Amino acid sequence: MEAPGPLRAVRTWEEVLPDRSADDAVLETMLLTAGERGYAKTTVAEIADRAGITQDRFHRRFGGKEACFARAYEQAAGRLEAQLREGCEAAESWREGFQAALGELLRFVAEQPLTAKALLLEVRAARGEAWETHQQVVARLTAALETAREQPGGRPGASPMTAGFVAGAIEESLSIELAAGRGEQVERLLPDFTHLAFLQLF
């Protein structure tokens, strides 16, 4: 199976490219519509119509709304996580890596607020398999933050709860910004988030 490419900037469901595979178009439309209208209001009929397929084909390919959202979430979250890790691993130090990954996250939210809203906010409404995937992603990113204790200047007394606090604070702040319609402005938070993490971990 071909590895998924990087996430591209899409602000509305109408911008889904026609040369995408049918399945990818449906998955992307699912996230964009959930981000635009909310998961609870999103219907199979609406997704099928926007993606240009029949409801019968939708059910054959994805089973139902919850399963489709879970698959879309896993794909998009996996791509985003890979981008964050790539930015972090390319840096020369932990601090630079953290700033690079955080900058990548904020840029993603600013450029793709609807998808970001689906990944951070609407997954809470969807629950199920998508929520389990979300928890796993957060756990892996929190574990990456915990490695700060091993770095020069790291606080050896910091507990795993400290990394969880930092990750939770960043996630919740971004969720608040997205809910308030300020997703495209989140890059301004980079200095504050960086200060919070370094204050707690170093």
Side-chain angles (χ1 to χ4, degrees):
M1 181 176 179
E2 184 181 354
L7 290 172
R8 57 189 181 81
V10 180
R11 295 175 185 276
T12 66
W13 67 267
E14 294 97 331
E15 294 176 32
V16 176
L17 296 181
D19 61 353
R20 301 278 279 178
S21 73
D23 281 4
D24 283 349
V26 172
L27 296 175
E28 193 163 35
T29 300
M30 167 60 80
L31 292 180
L32 292 169
T33 304
E36 178 187 31
R37 291 172 42 74
Y39 177 81
K41 293 181 180 179
T42 297
T43 65
V44 169
E46 183 176 27
I47 297 302
D49 181 61
R50 287 181 163 185
I53 64 172
T54 65
Q55 292 186 55
D56 182 61
R57 175 167 178 168
F58 177 96
H59 286 294
R60 288 201 311 271
R61 296 297 297 167
F62 302 100
K65 172 180 160 181
E66 180 179 325
C68 181
F69 185 87
R71 181 170 161 186
Y73 184 94
E74 181 178 20
Q75 185 179 88
R79 291 178 182 177
L80 177 59
E81 184 179 1
Q83 287 179 221
L84 300 186
R85 289 188 178 278
E86 182 179 349
C88 184
E89 292 169 357
E92 295 183 359
S93 69
W94 192 96
R95 295 190 185 210
E96 291 177 354
F98 173 79
Q99 287 179 302
L102 184 55
E104 189 70 27
L105 174 61
L106 296 180
R107 184 161 47 253
F108 162 73
V109 174
E111 292 180 352
Q112 303 191 56
L114 292 182
T115 302
K117 190 175 180 181
L119 296 182
L120 291 173
L121 277 175
E122 297 308 320
V123 67
R124 304 179 187 188
R127 306 300 295 181
E129 188 178 344
W131 179 250
E132 292 179 8
T133 300
H134 173 78
Q135 295 292 79
Q136 292 167 7
V137 170
V138 170
R140 287 194 293 270
L141 294 177
T142 300
L145 284 176
E146 288 182 25
T147 63
R149 290 184 293 169
E150 305 166 4
Q151 307 303 313
R155 293 175 58 185
S159 71
M161 290 183 62
T162 304
F165 166 76
V166 172
I170 292 173
E171 179 183 5
E172 191 61 27
S173 295
L174 291 178
S175 297
I176 291 173
E177 293 298 303
L178 285 164
R182 297 190 296 266
E184 296 182 1
Q185 305 170 31
V186 297
E187 288 180 281
R188 75 186 193 283
L189 300 175
L190 180 59
D192 292 337
F193 286 164
T194 301
H195 178 72
L196 168 68
F198 290 176
L199 184 66
Q200 296 296 323
L201 298 171
F202 290 92

